[in-house]
Amino acid sequence: MTFNTRNGTRGGRQPKAGRLMTWFNTRVARKVRRNGKFGGMDALVLTTIGAKSGTERTNPVGFFQPDDESWLIVASAAGAPRNPAWYYNIAAHPERVQIELAGRKLPVTATQLHGAEREEAWRQITAKAPRFAQYQVKTDRELPIIRLTRRTVTDRTA
């Protein structure tokens, strides 16, 4: 599946990348590693490879788990008009993604959901976390839903 969600023209305020956001993400990631929660949601630490820099990047993100071998994350950026930077990192390197969850580092492959599969996932996500429906109202871009599927050693390309 393709990663093709365009930025919107309206939405909530998106924090600028910089020292403050790096500090904040580092602190939140530390908390997520300890207890698996942030902002009242189940959370994981997402590690991607920078689309432009090639540098490893980590971000704490909320997740939804439809089964034992995959996790769903939403590139909401709290309803900002632009997709979060990690979305572009995943799009550039979908096979070089890793998550940290419950004290374990797991290699995963990322795919963006589309069509009926996305709609069903969206219904489940907004039923569990209504704040995502509020984020969608803020922006005119369709919030991307990404499925992270556990990779086995044999399909590891990173």
Side-chain angles (χ1 to χ4, degrees):
M1 295 276 171
T2 58
F3 291 83
N4 59 0
T5 301
R6 294 183 185 184
N7 287 324
T9 59
R10 66 175 175 78
R13 186 169 120 30
Q14 191 168 21
K16 298 262 189 235
R19 287 185 189 170
L20 184 60
M21 273 311 294
T22 300
W23 174 83
F24 179 77
N25 275 348
T26 300
R27 289 186 53 96
V28 172
R30 200 173 303 139
K31 180 178 180 176
V32 168
R33 285 180 180 111
R34 277 195 313 267
N35 67 18
K37 301 274 187 195
F38 180 71
M41 288 187 62
D42 291 331
L44 55 80
V45 177
L46 177 72
T47 302
T48 60
I49 303 299
K52 294 178 184 176
S53 69
T55 304
E56 195 171 89
R57 306 284 186 198
T58 59
N59 295 92
V61 296
F63 76 90
F64 304 88
Q65 191 166 16
D67 58 56
D68 290 338
E69 295 297 318
S70 69
W71 301 265
L72 299 176
I73 58 175
V74 181
S76 67
R82 295 181 11 196
N83 293 310
W86 61 256
Y87 172 81
Y88 297 105
N89 296 345
I90 286 176
H93 307 286
E95 73 293 340
R96 295 185 64 195
V97 179
Q98 176 178 282
I99 61 172
E100 293 178 58
L101 188 63
R104 299 179 301 159
K105 292 183 180 184
L106 304 170
V108 296
T109 299
T111 54
Q112 184 171 337
L113 303 184
H114 297 281
E117 188 177 24
R118 184 204 177 275
E119 292 307 313
E120 178 57 29
W122 183 248
R123 278 191 289 279
Q124 292 174 12
I125 289 166
T126 55
K128 290 180 183 174
R131 77 174 80 168
F132 284 95
Q134 295 168 356
Y135 296 156
Q136 184 61 75
V137 170
K138 287 182 179 181
T139 186
D140 56 349
R141 69 181 170 91
E142 181 178 79
L143 301 181
I145 300 175
I146 311 300
R147 180 184 306 277
L148 304 172
T149 306
R150 191 175 198 172
R151 281 195 324 257
T152 61
V153 176
T154 58
D155 65 348
R156 188 178 201 158
T157 58

